[in-house]
Amino acid sequence: MPMILAANANAQGSHVGEWRHPDAWDKPAANIANAVRLAQIAEAGKMDLLFLADGNGVRNLDKPDLFAATSPSDRPGVFEPVTLLSALAMVTRHIGLVATTTTTYDEPFHVARRFASLDHISGGRAGWNLVTTSNPGDALNFSREEHVARPTRYERANEFAEVVKGLWDSWADDAFPQDKASGRFLHPDKVHALNHKGPHFQVAGPLNAPRPPQGHPVGFSAGQSETGKDLAARHSDCVFAIEGSLPAAQTLYADIKGRLAKYGRAPDDLKILSGVTIFVGETAQEAEDLAGALDDLVPVAVGVDYLSKMMGQDMKRYPLDEPMPDFDGRYAGPTGIGQAILNVALEQGLTVRQTSRRILPQMAGNMFKGDPIQVADVMEQWYRGQGCDGFMVAAPVVPTGLERFTRLVIPELQRRGLFRTEYEGRTLRENLGLKRPPDRFSR
Amino acid sequence: MPMILAANANAQGSHVGEWRHPDAWDKPAANIANAVRLAQIAEAGKMDLLFLADGNGVRNLDKPDLFAATSPSDRPGVFEPVTLLSALAMVTRHIGLVATTTTTYDEPFHVARRFASLDHISGGRAGWNLVTTSNPGDALNFSREEHVARPTRYERANEFAEVVKGLWDSWADDAFPQDKASGRFLHPDKVHALNHKGPHFQVAGPLNAPRPPQGHPVGFSAGQSETGKDLAARHSDCVFAIEGSLPAAQTLYADIKGRLAKYGRAPDDLKILSGVTIFVGETAQEAEDLAGALDDLVPVAVGVDYLSKMMGQDMKRYPLDEPMPDFDGRYAGPTGIGQAILNVALEQGLTVRQTSRRILPQMAGNMFKGDPIQVADVMEQWYRGQGCDGFMVAAPVVPTGLERFTRLVIPELQRRGLFRTEYEGRTLRENLGLKRPPDRFSR
């Protein structure tokens, strides 16, 4: 099984200062021409899939300088991911199309339908990244006074995933003969009304779509909490993970793979993709220079504001040039990126200022930087060392960072036999080496 | 202002027997190649827009013969419309893209976002057909035990439309300078948080999308009840109407246009599109033959079942060759198509059997049939006679019916100066002769 390479397809790069860089897109907000170009770069590189993060709110309205610096899911001027990927399906032929949709403020019938539709439109290239909404403010956009509490969100997410999969199985693969001569449009005995009744959802079904080409569009999730890891082991085909060091990644890898047996699944049924921002140059110095130039585009105050957001604490209270505090174990930020950065800062004795610069390539609790050989070396080490099954690659600057990755690093990975030179299959599921789930009529 | 011509873009034609006809698509269920072809036929004909009906349930599970005969909104194997139109945006350049989305079982934030996204993807060609869900069974797909009652659905729909428009106005048109040199990504003083608090929805905003190219994607609705007509007069840019005769259409036209002043709008601010199935042949006989051939593809029992559905009564209780009953005024079907057909049947003294055949071209409470001159004549008569501002054209057989309409009828309409020979504007709104709503910062 070759290494899996996913491309972050958000319109802005993973570095907070990115959008101001001369190489970055002009006018990245909701720009379809840019999105098409990015998709075509990733597909020319034979990458497995395009991934779009998402959220349903605009954060940091009180801090306008952070608007452009906020993570892709909180940005003010973005496409809705499923509509965007439906469009990109028409200008690509092989690459997978993976969109984030929340389970907290949407309906399983709608979500099942949209991803089934995307799977039909793309000929079997759709993936759904299941999330629970983490931003409390999003609740206010959905007629709620308070955000759904975390344990409830995860319960709801698990049930949501059950319902969505059940709806995708509404019809047998061969339920629609559409035979003009006999007048048999469909087989009425090959429909399965779900009749789900659970604590959070009651959904009758059937779905008004034929079974998706992939059976089930590929399921993704993230989250490194206990509940997040269990949800992935139970429901996902792929999981995004973020760790700042190989030993930590190896521990997480073993932990997640070890949870699969409990749900009657084999270790290979769930692929672990490690999130990383890749700074690559023709030379190591070129990569360093790019990183420095990007850091310099972010004023110190904005960097500290951003660090505050990622730590879940006001970092202005701490001296800029003293070592990062350990918060007496009361860290209150996200389980992935924030925790990974804090671990790195404490291990390496970074100051607040240094940590704020370290977190600026924001998608990366992890970051690989260097010339093509150096970057390929560390990717190989993580992959062969069971730190991951592949990578969720964020470019620091879009589109040049992705173009450079496909031009400089991918050929080196191919030379080492680590990455494909042609797409193996027709569907995303086939390219990822995942089994197609049989329909319930043939199980 | 030229006549408006909208194309029904559902994968199956408007006649119940259509899918079995030799000219109809093979395998119409969720077939993207077919959808692309249909869009390109309509655009080559310079038609204003593609329209997709929709619903969130499969009806007639107990009557498999009706599966293929049910209206597009209830079919078992369809695309979700917004995903499909996002895809079609990439293979067309001018034609408008109008999708139906319910207000009964969706959230205004999601709907505002998806249509804003489609408008950005398509460069200003999106339209939203607002409906309330009429099929009670759909409730069971959304964790409800009972369908939302009709008056509540309309109250909710009106408030839903307010919220969606408010969210589209979240940002001034020039809120996102994205200026690299100054570091000004957006103007924090050009955001408007909606903070809507109403009986059905509380939505804070702002939307996480720049203002759509059209300001507001074009708003459509249908429904000929008092509440439906008022909703259109208050919120819609275009309304679909169905009448079986010109005098009835003229009455409805005057009624709807007369309601606009109440909401501070001019008669020209709302376009009325009359729904019609067009059977056109090189000769009148060819059109008749096609209609007969299609009728013959539908067994009498299926036709009567379908008539039952459209009348809201079991029509098997009535003798097949006796005149249609008037139900003592207790007609219980839909306000548009069903009522129009019943009126025609009573006026013309049709029998139950004749009425069941008359309703088989199901989109049409109205039907125009003949050679190109005859069809253009009646279209001109309706248009000049203020029966409508244009037509929602359904083809009896897809795609040949639409291809024939664009090849035979449109050139005749153009010759008479009734229809465009080139698209006038860049956006759907411009092509329809509708004003672009200014943002609230420049009002």
Side-chain angles (χ1 to χ4, degrees):
Chain A
M1 184 63 215
M3 182 186 283
I4 295 166
L5 292 177
N8 186 306
N10 288 95
Q12 292 171 243
S14 69
H15 192 289
V16 170
E18 183 260 3
W19 77 273
R20 298 186 60 187
H21 193 277
D23 288 352
W25 298 123
D26 287 324
K27 313 284 181 195
N31 185 317
I32 185 68
N34 290 358
V36 170
R37 178 82 189 103
L38 189 66
Q40 291 173 338
I41 290 170
E43 186 166 80
K46 316 288 181 199
M47 294 182 78
D48 288 271
L49 61 95
L50 300 166
F51 166 70
L52 287 166
D54 193 51
N56 287 288
V58 177
R59 298 191 216 188
N60 303 313
L61 276 168
D62 55 330
K63 296 197 189 74
D65 286 340
L66 272 183
F67 273 8
T70 199
S71 76
S73 55
D74 319 326
R75 282 176 183 158
V78 296
F79 289 113
E80 185 281 326
V82 185
T83 44
L84 177 57
L85 293 182
S86 298
L88 296 181
M90 304 306 280
V91 295
T92 54
R93 293 192 52 192
H94 302 284
I95 199 161
L97 305 162
V98 181
T100 301
T101 296
T102 183
T103 54
T104 308
Y105 299 114
D106 210 326
E107 291 282 345
F109 192 90
H110 288 317
V111 171
R113 229 192 133 189
R114 290 201 293 274
F115 283 91
S117 198
L118 178 60
D119 211 43
H120 283 289
I121 287 169
S122 63
R125 297 188 281 136
W128 169 37
N129 180 39
L130 173 161
V131 296
T132 76
T133 293
S134 59
N135 180 24
D138 289 11
L140 306 178
N141 291 328
F142 298 101
S143 300
R144 301 267 190 154
E145 292 188 6
E146 287 195 358
H147 190 35
V148 177
R150 193 167 195 289
T152 311
R153 292 205 305 272
Y154 272 88
E155 274 174 37
R156 187 179 153 102
N158 273 293
E159 189 180 336
F160 198 113
E162 286 292 346
V163 174
V164 166
K165 290 184 194 177
L167 288 170
W168 284 333
D169 286 346
S170 291
W171 303 91
D173 287 320
D174 59 354
F176 292 88
Q178 306 173 68
D179 182 42
K180 289 180 176 182
S182 66
R184 171 59 50 100
F185 191 82
L186 55 78
H187 287 298
D189 52 339
K190 296 202 172 179
V191 62
H192 164 73
L194 186 62
N195 289 320
H196 172 88
K197 289 185 199 300
H200 297 279
F201 302 105
Q202 298 84 51
V203 180
L207 193 66
N208 52 352
R211 196 157 192 266
Q214 296 184 101
H216 299 171
V218 181
F220 290 72
S221 65
Q224 291 164 226
S225 65
E226 291 302 306
T227 44
K229 287 183 284 195
D230 268 331
L231 186 141
R234 184 170 160 193
H235 285 300
S236 304
D237 299 302
C238 298
V239 61
F240 298 123
I242 292 178
E243 288 293 357
S245 70
L246 177 54
Q250 287 164 327
T251 304
L252 181 66
Y253 187 92
D255 175 2
I256 294 176
K257 295 270 182 178
R259 290 172 195 247
L260 287 159
K262 179 160 50 162
Y263 301 103
R265 305 178 69 198
D268 230 29
D269 291 347
L270 175 63
K271 310 295 183 183
I272 300 178
L273 305 187
S274 197
V276 61
T277 296
I278 295 184
F279 284 81
V280 64
E282 306 268 0
T283 63
Q285 191 56 47
E286 194 180 280
E288 284 297 339
D289 291 348
L290 174 63
L294 285 165
D295 289 355
D296 291 344
L297 286 168
V298 183
V300 174
V302 172
V304 172
D305 268 356
Y306 185 65
L307 182 64
S308 300
K309 175 179 145 74
M310 297 312 290
M311 294 292 116
Q313 343 246 343
D314 180 4
M315 297 305 298
K316 286 197 294 295
R317 292 179 309 178
Y318 299 94
L320 204 52
D321 294 307
E322 296 285 316
M324 270 292 279
D326 66 0
F327 308 119
D328 298 325
R330 291 197 303 279
Y331 168 77
T335 54
I337 304 173
Q339 184 74 64
I341 285 283
L342 180 60
N343 294 348
V344 167
L346 296 177
E347 276 162 35
Q348 303 181 5
L350 302 183
T351 65
V352 170
R353 184 196 302 271
Q354 287 165 335
T355 312
S356 78
R357 283 175 77 100
R358 183 69 179 71
I359 206 168
L360 293 176
Q362 68 192 31
M363 289 303 294
N366 200 22
M367 175 170 59
F368 297 160
K369 195 163 55 179
D371 66 29
I373 302 296
Q374 288 170 321
V375 169
D377 282 350
V378 65
M379 291 179 80
E380 178 166 4
Q381 194 184 9
W382 279 57
Y383 174 70
R384 292 204 192 276
Q386 302 209 309
C388 62
D389 298 311
F391 299 91
M392 171 69 237
V393 177
V397 178
V398 173
T400 48
L402 191 71
E403 185 279 320
R404 218 178 286 191
F405 174 74
T406 60
R407 179 165 50 82
L408 299 177
V409 180
I410 285 184
E412 179 59 26
L413 295 171
Q414 288 166 331
R415 202 185 57 74
R416 300 180 188 193
L418 290 169
F419 191 61
R420 73 168 62 82
T421 52
E422 289 302 334
Y423 287 98
E424 300 84 3
R426 286 175 318 108
T427 68
L428 175 57
R429 201 168 267 284
E430 287 169 4
N431 287 325
L432 294 175
L434 292 163
K435 292 190 284 282
R436 184 180 190 278
D439 69 41
R440 67 173 63 216
F441 300 86
S442 53
R443 269 175 221 158
Chain B
M1 184 63 216
M3 182 187 286
I4 295 166
L5 292 177
N8 186 306
N10 288 94
Q12 292 172 241
S14 70
H15 192 288
V16 170
E18 183 261 1
W19 76 274
R20 298 186 60 188
H21 193 277
D23 288 352
W25 298 123
D26 287 325
K27 313 284 181 196
N31 185 318
I32 185 67
N34 290 358
V36 169
R37 178 82 190 103
L38 190 66
Q40 291 173 338
I41 290 170
E43 185 166 80
K46 315 289 181 199
M47 295 182 78
D48 288 272
L49 60 97
L50 300 166
F51 166 70
L52 287 166
D54 192 51
N56 287 287
V58 178
R59 297 191 217 188
N60 303 314
L61 275 168
D62 55 330
K63 296 197 189 72
D65 286 341
L66 271 183
F67 273 8
T70 199
S71 75
S73 56
D74 320 326
R75 283 176 183 159
V78 296
F79 289 112
E80 186 281 327
V82 184
T83 43
L84 177 57
L85 293 182
S86 297
L88 296 181
M90 305 305 280
V91 295
T92 55
R93 292 191 54 191
H94 303 283
I95 199 161
L97 305 162
V98 181
T100 300
T101 295
T102 184
T103 54
T104 308
Y105 299 114
D106 211 326
E107 290 281 346
F109 192 89
H110 287 317
V111 170
R113 230 192 133 189
R114 289 202 293 274
F115 282 92
S117 198
L118 178 60
D119 210 43
H120 283 289
I121 288 169
S122 64
R125 297 188 280 137
W128 169 36
N129 180 39
L130 172 161
V131 296
T132 76
T133 294
S134 60
N135 179 25
D138 289 12
L140 306 179
N141 291 328
F142 298 101
S143 300
R144 300 268 192 154
E145 292 187 5
E146 287 196 356
H147 191 36
V148 177
R150 195 168 193 288
T152 311
R153 292 205 305 271
Y154 272 88
E155 274 174 39
R156 187 179 153 103
N158 272 294
E159 190 180 335
F160 198 112
E162 287 292 345
V163 174
V164 167
K165 290 183 193 178
L167 287 170
W168 284 333
D169 286 346
S170 290
W171 303 92
D173 288 319
D174 59 354
F176 292 88
Q178 305 173 69
D179 181 41
K180 288 180 177 184
S182 66
R184 174 57 52 100
F185 191 83
L186 55 77
H187 287 299
D189 53 338
K190 296 202 172 179
V191 62
H192 163 72
L194 186 62
N195 289 319
H196 172 88
K197 289 186 199 300
H200 297 278
F201 303 104
Q202 298 84 51
V203 180
L207 193 65
N208 52 352
R211 197 158 191 264
Q214 296 184 100
H216 299 171
V218 181
F220 290 72
S221 65
Q224 289 163 229
S225 65
E226 290 303 306
T227 44
K229 287 182 284 195
D230 268 330
L231 185 142
R234 184 169 160 192
H235 286 300
S236 304
D237 299 302
C238 298
V239 61
F240 298 123
I242 292 178
E243 289 292 359
S245 71
L246 178 53
Q250 288 165 327
T251 304
L252 181 66
Y253 186 94
D255 175 1
I256 294 176
K257 296 270 183 179
R259 289 171 196 247
L260 287 158
K262 179 160 52 163
Y263 300 103
R265 307 179 67 196
D268 230 28
D269 292 346
L270 175 63
K271 310 295 183 184
I272 299 177
L273 305 188
S274 196
V276 61
T277 295
I278 296 184
F279 284 81
V280 65
E282 305 269 359
T283 63
Q285 191 56 48
E286 194 179 280
E288 284 296 341
D289 291 347
L290 174 63
L294 285 166
D295 289 355
D296 291 343
L297 285 169
V298 183
V300 175
V302 173
V304 173
D305 267 355
Y306 186 65
L307 183 64
S308 300
K309 175 178 144 73
M310 297 312 290
M311 293 294 116
Q313 343 245 344
D314 180 4
M315 296 305 297
K316 286 199 294 293
R317 291 179 310 180
Y318 299 93
L320 205 52
D321 294 307
E322 297 283 317
M324 271 291 279
D326 66 1
F327 308 118
D328 299 325
R330 290 197 303 279
Y331 168 78
T335 53
I337 304 173
Q339 184 73 65
I341 285 284
L342 180 60
N343 294 348
V344 168
L346 296 176
E347 275 163 34
Q348 301 182 6
L350 303 183
T351 65
V352 171
R353 184 196 301 270
Q354 288 166 333
T355 312
S356 77
R357 284 175 76 100
R358 183 69 180 73
I359 206 169
L360 293 176
Q362 68 193 31
M363 289 302 295
N366 199 22
M367 174 170 60
F368 297 161
K369 196 162 53 179
D371 67 30
I373 302 295
Q374 288 170 322
V375 170
D377 281 351
V378 65
M379 291 178 80
E380 177 164 6
Q381 194 183 9
W382 278 57
Y383 175 69
R384 292 204 192 276
Q386 302 209 309
C388 61
D389 298 311
F391 298 91
M392 171 70 237
V393 177
V397 178
V398 173
T400 48
L402 191 70
E403 184 280 319
R404 217 178 285 190
F405 175 74
T406 60
R407 179 166 48 83
L408 298 178
V409 180
I410 286 185
E412 178 60 25
L413 295 172
Q414 288 167 331
R415 203 186 56 75
R416 299 180 189 193
L418 291 168
F419 191 62
R420 72 168 63 82
T421 52
E422 290 301 334
Y423 287 98
E424 299 86 2
R426 285 175 318 108
T427 68
L428 174 58
R429 202 168 266 284
E430 287 169 5
N431 287 326
L432 294 174
L434 292 163
K435 291 190 285 283
R436 183 180 190 279
D439 69 42
R440 67 174 62 216
F441 300 86
S442 53
R443 267 175 222 156

